[in-house]
Amino acid sequence: MVSTASSQHYQALVDIGSNGIRFSISDLSPPTARITPTIYQDRCGISLYDAQNATGTKAPIPSGVIEEVLAVLLQFKRTCQDFEVPDSNIRLVATEATRNAINREDLLGQIEERTGWKVELLTKEEEGRLGAMGIASSIGHVKGICMDMGGGSVQMTWVVKKLNGDVDMSPVGSVSFPYGAAALMSMLSEVSVQKEAFLQDEIASKFQRGLETIQIPSSLRDEASQNHGYTLYLSGGGFRGRGYILMSTEDIQPYPIPIINCYSVRASRFFSNLEESPASALAFRVSSRRASQVPAVQLVIKALAQAGIPISKVTFTQGGVREGLLYSGLAPSIRAQSPLVASTLPYAPRSAASLTTLLRDAVPDLVESELLTSTINLLYFHGSLPKDIRAAAALRSTTTGVLAGAHGLSHRDRSMLALILCERWGADLSEADAGLYDSLPKLAGHLTWWTKYVGRVAEGIANLFPAGVVRDDEPTVVVESGVSSIKDIQHCWLKITVLRQDLLGKVEVWAKDLRKLGKKKHWGKQESGMKVDVDVRI
């Protein structure tokens, strides 16, 4: 049984979609509300769209299907009681398939009578707005066009998330198209190859008109012109299925981040090789149902390419109506938080602020501040493990470890933080972990060497302050850093002033270790780095 104090922050949601029903309980207590930690989630594969269109002609939802819906809702009600979720914190929403059901009033009436819960019917505009908010919750920085593909419809809008946490989007909310994966598969079953081409033309034409309808602001259009196109953010199971296929055919194999959220590809790759068969899609972590809908997803993507909308990059997200509902309820100040920092705050040492300042002073302004803050927050997390597995556990902390479920972390941030923490514990790995260690730098890119540098600086700080405590009344060390060019060779320089005599030995060992990193033989397989000059003063 969970504690009543923590359960007051629990939010339970039921999303009655066209392809299935999703259940979740999330913990919105501080300080991690920004990443909406999920403490329970489940999905029931009841397709209300299929239930109404099984014969090819739209019919009421059968009584047997309604009974199935009631059964899973009553089961979830018991789950909410077990987690002690307050009744006021339980919300049910329904989308396209319920909204358009012939006997929707009967369905909604029976749900209220049997469960005591009222279902909110989302309009097309509300569904699109919440989907866009879900996308905004999924990524630290969002600026571009959003599309959400459900079972019954596809929504399109634009979104710009500001630094203060406010989210701007189309004044019309979104444009909805009746081309969800299930709906489109039903259409495809009734048309010939020639008519399919006409259907693609129709969808492309509507996408073009939809782009005009959502009224993209001139500032976003100008930026897209400079960047050779918009960033396209995609959500919904159909689109994510395409993402898994692309992830499984990346040049980096196996792809080191097995998380679809924040996975990005160039537009040219997204629109290429759209001939994947439903059968072969099963090999790429795509469910049998999603695999059967591959032709519909492919048709939507082909139509999107035909529409001629300028797109430079495509980013897949885990956000949808559920995430949008939760994110919409957060204060702008919480929405403005860095997901990376928020996800690591529970593990911060007592003197995290002082230690972070020390790390920032020791690292030139080439590494993002949020990454340094998160490094300090997790600086001691793996210290209780046996020495021979600390580096390995740290390496996997962002993929299958403590941050695996953190919502909103980019793949680059996951790779960089993993490499930094691994280095902080000496990067002593077994052969079983070597593959991941070698593949993550391909996502970190030109900053790979800096992950080694930050990790070694962090290790030195941890050795100076083993309990994570910096005493305000006791001077310890002062550091300065920067980058300079000497005879066309890049140097990272670090000045360490020791204010407490007993720390001198540890600082000299720290300095020696950092100087080693400046030698080419220690740069790693990327063969890029800098010479490190360390000046220790007393």
Side-chain angles (χ1 to χ4, degrees):
M1 183 70 70
V2 297
S3 68
T4 303
S6 61
S7 65
Q8 292 304 307
H9 296 282
Y10 289 175
Q11 297 282 337
L13 287 175
V14 181
D15 177 7
I16 304 174
S18 299
N19 262 339
I21 303 175
R22 295 172 177 81
F23 307 90
S24 68
I25 300 174
S26 302
D27 182 3
L28 299 189
S29 58
T32 56
R34 167 62 184 86
I35 60 169
T36 58
T38 302
I39 61 172
Y40 172 84
Q41 61 180 330
D42 195 13
R43 180 183 184 278
C44 175
I46 298 174
S47 172
L48 294 184
Y49 182 89
D50 287 352
Q52 297 173 72
N53 296 276
T55 63
T57 302
K58 187 168 183 178
I61 301 173
S63 58
V65 173
I66 292 177
E67 283 299 322
E68 289 181 42
V69 171
L70 293 171
V72 295
L73 289 177
L74 288 169
Q75 187 176 37
F76 183 61
K77 185 168 186 175
R78 287 190 289 272
T79 300
C80 289
Q81 291 169 347
D82 291 342
F83 277 98
E84 296 184 351
V85 181
D87 291 341
S88 59
N89 291 1
I90 302 173
R91 191 172 179 184
L92 285 74
V93 297
T95 56
E96 182 88 3
T98 305
R99 187 167 60 232
N100 296 331
I102 295 173
N103 58 336
R104 73 178 189 187
E105 297 303 327
D106 180 36
L107 170 65
L108 300 181
Q110 289 199 51
I111 290 175
E112 183 174 1
E113 180 182 350
R114 295 277 293 277
T115 69
W117 291 337
K118 287 188 176 182
V119 178
E120 301 173 47
L121 273 182
L122 300 178
T123 65
K124 293 179 180 180
E125 293 74 22
E126 289 172 332
E127 184 179 347
R129 183 183 65 81
L130 289 172
M133 289 295 284
I135 289 173
S137 79
S138 301
I139 304 176
H141 306 285
V142 179
K143 183 182 290 186
I145 298 172
C146 298
M147 294 185 73
D148 184 356
M149 187 179 203
S153 61
V154 174
Q155 275 78 35
M156 174 193 289
T157 189
W158 59 265
V159 172
V160 174
K161 186 163 73 172
K162 298 180 179 179
L163 293 176
N164 65 0
D166 288 339
V167 179
D168 288 345
M169 64 179 68
S170 171
V172 302
S174 70
V175 178
S176 182
F177 310 96
Y179 304 123
L184 200 49
M185 282 304 298
S186 179
M187 296 181 202
L188 289 174
S189 68
E190 301 172 358
V191 301
S192 63
V193 174
Q194 184 179 15
K195 288 185 177 180
E196 183 178 324
F198 285 114
L199 180 58
Q200 180 177 319
D201 291 342
E202 173 191 305
I203 298 173
S205 177
K206 289 192 176 181
F207 282 166
Q208 288 174 334
R209 291 198 295 273
L211 194 68
E212 297 173 2
T213 303
I214 61 176
Q215 303 173 33
I216 296 178
S218 57
S219 59
L220 191 54
R221 291 199 305 269
D222 292 343
E223 188 168 323
S225 179
Q226 295 172 3
N227 296 330
H228 308 290
Y230 299 98
T231 297
L232 176 64
Y233 301 94
L234 299 178
S235 67
F239 284 140
R240 284 194 291 270
R242 172 65 176 163
Y244 280 119
I245 292 172
L246 291 172
M247 184 185 289
S248 299
T249 55
E250 278 279 358
D251 292 337
I252 312 171
Q253 286 301 321
Y255 188 77
I257 310 292
I259 299 167
I260 194 64
N261 193 56
C262 295
Y263 171 62
S264 296
V265 296
R266 297 186 307 277
S268 57
R269 184 159 180 260
F270 175 72
F271 289 117
S272 64
N273 301 321
L274 286 167
E275 306 305 325
E276 190 71 45
S277 70
S280 60
L282 287 169
F284 301 120
R285 288 193 288 160
V286 179
S287 69
S288 57
R289 178 173 178 79
R290 291 299 182 195
S292 70
Q293 295 173 346
V294 162
V297 178
Q298 290 173 340
L299 184 60
V300 167
I301 295 173
K302 289 176 183 177
L304 184 60
Q306 183 180 327
I309 300 172
I311 297 168
S312 59
K313 184 175 75 171
V314 177
T315 297
F316 298 89
T317 75
Q318 197 69 46
V321 168
R322 182 185 81 89
E323 290 79 8
L325 282 166
L326 293 171
Y327 192 65
S328 298
L330 298 177
S333 59
I334 296 177
R335 296 202 297 256
Q337 293 175 351
S338 160
L340 189 61
V341 173
S343 63
T344 58
L345 272 176
Y347 317 105
R350 192 195 312 175
S351 299
S354 297
L355 295 173
T356 300
T357 298
L358 188 58
L359 181 61
R360 286 175 181 163
D361 290 343
V363 178
D365 295 332
L366 296 171
V367 180
E368 293 176 358
S369 177
E370 291 87 352
L371 195 60
L372 300 181
T373 301
S374 300
T375 297
I376 292 298
N377 287 346
L378 289 177
L379 189 61
Y380 304 92
F381 181 80
H382 299 95
S384 63
L385 300 177
K387 185 177 180 181
D388 54 350
I389 65 168
R390 290 173 185 167
L395 183 69
R396 298 185 181 277
S397 60
T398 62
T399 50
T400 56
V402 63
L403 298 186
H407 187 61
L409 276 60
S410 73
H411 284 204
R412 193 193 70 154
D413 283 347
R414 287 182 187 273
S415 64
M416 290 187 66
L417 185 57
L419 291 169
I420 289 171
L421 294 175
C422 180
E423 194 71 29
R424 176 263 183 273
W425 292 109
D428 183 16
L429 301 168
S430 68
E431 289 185 10
D433 301 298
L436 179 59
Y437 184 76
D438 290 340
S439 61
L440 285 174
K442 296 172 184 176
L443 297 181
H446 70 284
L447 292 174
T448 295
W449 182 83
W450 285 104
T451 65
K452 293 176 176 288
Y453 177 82
V454 173
R456 294 199 184 190
V457 171
E459 180 184 15
I461 291 174
N463 288 336
L464 293 179
F465 307 98
V469 177
V470 180
R471 298 180 184 179
D472 295 336
D473 60 345
E474 190 174 59
T476 51
V477 296
V478 175
V479 298
E480 299 175 73
S481 64
V483 173
S484 59
S485 182
I486 304 174
K487 295 182 179 179
D488 296 326
I489 298 176
Q490 288 287 92
H491 287 239
C492 172
W493 57 265
L494 181 66
K495 296 178 182 178
I496 308 175
T497 303
V498 182
L499 303 176
R500 217 178 78 194
Q501 186 65 32
D502 63 299
L503 296 178
L504 182 59
K506 286 187 176 182
V507 171
E508 287 179 337
V509 172
W510 184 23
K512 183 179 178 180
D513 188 47
L514 288 170
R515 293 187 190 108
K516 277 185 185 178
L517 184 61
K519 297 179 180 180
K520 282 191 176 182
K521 65 179 180 180
H522 297 296
W523 287 2
K525 295 183 178 180
Q526 284 66 40
E527 296 186 354
S528 62
M530 290 187 184
K531 183 176 176 58
V532 180
D533 301 321
V534 185
D535 181 15
V536 179
R537 303 177 180 183
I538 300 177

